[in-house]
Coordinates of all heavy atoms in Angstrom, one line a residue:
S2 N 14.3 12.9 4.9 CA 13.8 13.8 5.9 C 13.2 13.1 7.0 O 12.9 11.9 7.1 CB 12.7 14.6 5.1 OG 11.5 13.8 4.9
Y3 N 13.0 13.8 8.1 CA 12.4 13.4 9.3 C 11.0 12.7 9.0 O 10.7 11.6 9.5 CB 12.3 14.5 10.3 CG 11.6 14.1 11.6 CD1 12.2 13.4 12.6 CD2 10.3 14.6 11.9 CE1 11.5 13.0 13.7 CE2 9.6 14.2 13.1 CZ 10.3 13.5 14.0 OH 9.7 13.1 15.2
K4 N 10.2 13.5 8.2 CA 8.9 12.9 7.9 C 8.9 11.7 7.2 O 8.1 10.7 7.4 CB 8.1 14.1 7.0 CG 6.8 13.7 6.6 CD 6.2 14.8 5.8 CE 5.2 14.5 4.7 NZ 4.7 15.5 4.0
H5 N 10.0 11.6 6.2 CA 10.0 10.3 5.4 C 10.4 9.2 6.4 O 9.9 8.1 6.2 CB 11.1 10.4 4.4 CG 11.3 9.2 3.6 ND1 10.4 8.7 2.6 CD2 12.3 8.3 3.7 CE1 10.9 7.7 2.2 NE2 12.0 7.3 2.8
N6 N 11.2 9.3 7.3 CA 11.7 8.3 8.3 C 10.5 7.9 9.1 O 10.4 6.7 9.3 CB 12.8 8.8 9.1 CG 14.1 9.0 8.4 OD1 14.4 8.3 7.4 ND2 15.0 9.8 8.9
N7 N 9.7 8.7 9.5 CA 8.5 8.3 10.4 C 7.5 7.5 9.5 O 6.9 6.5 10.0 CB 7.8 9.6 11.0 CG 8.6 10.1 12.2 OD1 9.4 9.5 12.7 ND2 8.1 11.3 12.4
L8 N 7.4 8.0 8.3 CA 6.3 7.2 7.4 C 6.9 5.8 7.1 O 6.2 4.8 7.1 CB 6.0 8.0 6.2 CG 5.1 9.1 6.4 CD1 5.1 10.0 5.1 CD2 3.7 8.6 6.7
M9 N 8.2 5.7 6.8 CA 8.8 4.4 6.6 C 8.7 3.5 7.9 O 8.4 2.3 7.7 CB 10.3 4.6 6.2 CG 10.9 3.3 5.7 SD 10.0 2.3 4.5 CE 10.4 3.4 3.0
A10 N 8.9 4.0 9.0 CA 8.8 3.4 10.2 C 7.3 2.8 10.5 O 7.1 1.7 10.8 CB 9.1 4.2 11.5
M11 N 6.3 3.7 10.1 CA 5.0 3.2 10.1 C 4.6 2.1 9.2 O 4.0 1.1 9.5 CB 4.0 4.4 9.7 CG 3.9 5.4 10.8 SD 3.0 6.9 10.2 CE 1.2 6.2 10.2
R12 N 5.3 2.2 8.0 CA 5.0 1.2 7.0 C 5.6 -0.1 7.5 O 5.0 -1.2 7.5 CB 5.7 1.5 5.7 CG 5.0 2.7 4.9 CD 5.8 3.0 3.7 NE 5.6 4.3 3.3 CZ 4.7 4.6 2.2 NH1 4.0 3.7 1.7 NH2 4.6 6.0 1.9
Q13 N 6.9 -0.1 8.0 CA 7.5 -1.3 8.4 C 6.8 -1.9 9.7 O 6.7 -3.2 9.8 CB 9.0 -1.0 8.7 CG 9.8 -0.7 7.5 CD 11.1 -0.3 7.7 OE1 11.5 0.3 8.8 NE2 12.1 -0.4 6.6
N14 N 6.4 -1.0 10.6 CA 5.7 -1.7 11.7 C 4.5 -2.3 11.4 O 4.1 -3.3 11.9 CB 5.5 -0.5 12.8 CG 6.7 -0.2 13.4 OD1 7.7 -0.8 13.6 ND2 6.7 1.2 13.9
Y15 N 3.7 -1.7 10.5 CA 2.4 -2.3 10.0 C 2.7 -3.6 9.4 O 2.1 -4.6 9.7 CB 1.8 -1.3 9.0 CG 0.5 -1.9 8.5 CD1 -0.7 -1.7 9.1 CD2 0.5 -2.6 7.2 CE1 -1.9 -2.3 8.6 CE2 -0.6 -3.2 6.8 CZ -1.8 -3.0 7.4 OH -2.8 -3.6 6.9
W16 N 3.6 -3.6 8.4 CA 3.8 -4.8 7.7 C 4.5 -5.9 8.5 O 4.1 -7.1 8.3 CB 4.8 -4.6 6.5 CG 4.5 -5.7 5.5 CD1 5.3 -6.8 5.3 CD2 3.4 -5.9 4.5 NE1 4.7 -7.6 4.3 CE2 3.5 -7.0 3.8 CE3 2.3 -5.0 4.4 CZ2 2.7 -7.4 2.9 CZ3 1.4 -5.4 3.4 CH2 1.5 -6.7 2.7
N17 N 5.2 -5.7 9.5 CA 5.8 -6.6 10.3 C 4.9 -7.1 11.6 O 5.3 -8.1 12.2 CB 7.2 -6.1 10.9 CG 8.2 -6.0 9.9 OD1 8.2 -6.6 8.9 ND2 9.1 -5.0 10.1
D18 N 3.7 -6.5 11.6 CA 2.7 -6.9 12.6 C 2.2 -8.3 12.3 O 1.3 -8.3 11.3 CB 1.7 -5.9 12.8 CG 0.7 -6.1 13.9 OD1 0.7 -7.2 14.4 OD2 -0.1 -5.3 14.2
T19 N 2.5 -9.3 12.9 CA 1.9 -10.6 12.6 C 0.9 -11.0 13.7 O 0.4 -12.1 13.6 CB 2.9 -11.6 12.6 OG1 3.8 -11.7 13.8 CG2 3.9 -11.4 11.4
H20 N 0.6 -10.2 14.7 CA -0.3 -10.5 15.7 C -1.7 -10.0 15.6 O -2.7 -10.6 16.2 CB 0.3 -10.2 17.1 CG 1.6 -10.7 17.3 ND1 1.7 -12.1 17.6 CD2 2.8 -10.3 17.5 CE1 3.1 -12.3 17.8 NE2 3.8 -11.2 17.7
S21 N -1.9 -9.1 14.7 CA -3.2 -8.4 14.5 C -4.0 -9.1 13.4 O -3.6 -9.2 12.3 CB -3.0 -6.8 14.3 OG -4.2 -6.4 13.8
A22 N -5.2 -9.5 13.8 CA -6.1 -10.1 12.9 C -6.5 -9.1 11.7 O -6.5 -9.5 10.6 CB -7.3 -10.6 13.5
Q23 N -6.6 -7.9 12.1 CA -7.0 -6.9 11.2 C -5.8 -6.5 10.2 O -6.1 -6.6 9.0 CB -7.3 -5.4 11.8 CG -7.7 -4.4 10.9 CD -8.0 -3.1 11.6 OE1 -8.1 -2.9 12.6 NE2 -7.9 -2.0 10.8
V24 N -4.7 -6.6 10.6 CA -3.5 -6.4 9.7 C -3.4 -7.6 8.7 O -3.2 -7.3 7.5 CB -2.2 -6.1 10.4 CG1 -1.0 -6.2 9.4 CG2 -2.3 -4.9 11.2
E25 N -3.6 -8.8 9.2 CA -3.5 -10.0 8.3 C -4.6 -9.9 7.3 O -4.4 -10.2 6.3 CB -3.5 -11.2 9.2 CG -2.3 -11.4 10.1 CD -1.0 -11.6 9.2 OE1 -1.0 -12.2 8.2 OE2 0.0 -11.0 9.6
S26 N -5.8 -9.6 7.7 CA -6.9 -9.4 6.8 C -6.8 -8.3 5.8 O -7.0 -8.5 4.6 CB -8.2 -9.1 7.6 OG -9.2 -8.8 6.8
E27 N -6.1 -7.2 6.1 CA -5.8 -6.2 5.2 C -4.6 -6.6 4.3 O -4.7 -6.2 3.1 CB -5.4 -4.9 6.0 CG -6.6 -4.2 6.7 CD -6.4 -3.1 7.5 OE1 -5.1 -2.9 7.8 OE2 -7.3 -2.3 7.8
K28 N -3.7 -7.4 4.7 CA -2.7 -8.0 3.8 C -3.3 -8.8 2.7 O -3.0 -8.7 1.5 CB -1.7 -8.8 4.6 CG -0.7 -7.8 5.4 CD 0.3 -8.7 6.1 CE 1.2 -7.9 7.0 NZ 2.1 -8.8 7.8
Q29 N -4.3 -9.6 3.0 CA -5.0 -10.5 2.1 C -5.8 -9.5 1.2 O -5.9 -9.8 0.1 CB -5.9 -11.5 2.9 CG -5.2 -12.6 3.5 CD -6.0 -13.5 4.3 OE1 -7.2 -13.3 4.5 NE2 -5.5 -14.6 4.9
F30 N -6.4 -8.4 1.7 CA -7.1 -7.5 0.9 C -6.3 -6.9 -0.2 O -6.6 -6.8 -1.4 CB -7.6 -6.4 1.8 CG -8.2 -5.0 1.0 CD1 -9.2 -5.1 0.2 CD2 -7.3 -4.0 1.2 CE1 -9.6 -4.0 -0.4 CE2 -7.7 -2.9 0.5 CZ -8.9 -2.8 -0.4
F31 N -5.1 -6.5 0.1 CA -4.0 -6.0 -0.8 C -3.9 -7.0 -2.0 O -3.8 -6.7 -3.1 CB -2.8 -5.6 -0.1 CG -2.8 -4.4 0.7 CD1 -2.4 -4.4 2.1 CD2 -3.3 -3.2 0.2 CE1 -2.5 -3.2 2.8 CE2 -3.4 -2.0 1.0 CZ -3.0 -2.1 2.2
Q32 N -3.6 -8.3 -1.5 CA -3.5 -9.4 -2.6 C -4.7 -9.4 -3.5 O -4.6 -9.6 -4.7 CB -3.2 -10.7 -1.9 CG -1.9 -10.8 -1.4 CD -1.6 -12.1 -0.6 OE1 -2.2 -12.4 0.4 NE2 -0.8 -13.0 -1.1
Q33 N -6.0 -9.4 -2.9 CA -7.1 -9.5 -3.7 C -7.3 -8.2 -4.7 O -7.8 -8.3 -5.7 CB -8.4 -9.5 -2.7 CG -9.7 -9.8 -3.4 CD -9.7 -11.1 -4.0 OE1 -9.2 -12.1 -3.6 NE2 -10.4 -11.1 -5.3
V34 N -6.9 -7.0 -4.2 CA -6.8 -5.8 -4.9 C -6.0 -6.0 -6.2 O -6.4 -5.6 -7.2 CB -6.6 -4.7 -4.1 CG1 -6.2 -3.4 -5.0 CG2 -7.6 -4.3 -3.1
L35 N -4.9 -6.7 -6.0 CA -3.9 -6.9 -7.1 C -4.6 -7.7 -8.2 O -4.4 -7.6 -9.4 CB -2.7 -7.3 -6.6 CG -1.8 -6.4 -5.8 CD1 -0.6 -7.1 -5.2 CD2 -1.3 -5.3 -6.7
I36 N -5.4 -8.7 -7.7 CA -6.1 -9.7 -8.6 C -7.2 -9.0 -9.4 O -7.2 -9.0 -10.6 CB -6.6 -10.9 -7.9 CG1 -5.5 -11.8 -7.3 CG2 -7.5 -11.7 -8.8 CD1 -6.0 -12.9 -6.3

Side-chain angles (χ1 to χ4, degrees):
S2 71
Y3 175 73
K4 179 176 154 183
H5 177 78
N6 287 337
N7 283 343
L8 285 168
M9 185 56 72
M11 285 175 70
R12 292 173 200 266
Q13 290 172 340
N14 287 339
Y15 175 88
W16 200 262
N17 292 332
D18 182 352
T19 57
H20 301 294
S21 169
Q23 179 180 345
V24 171
E25 290 302 314
S26 172
E27 289 173 343
K28 287 178 184 179
Q29 291 174 354
F30 163 72
F31 288 124
Q32 287 177 291
Q33 188 61 38
V34 164
L35 290 169
I36 293 169

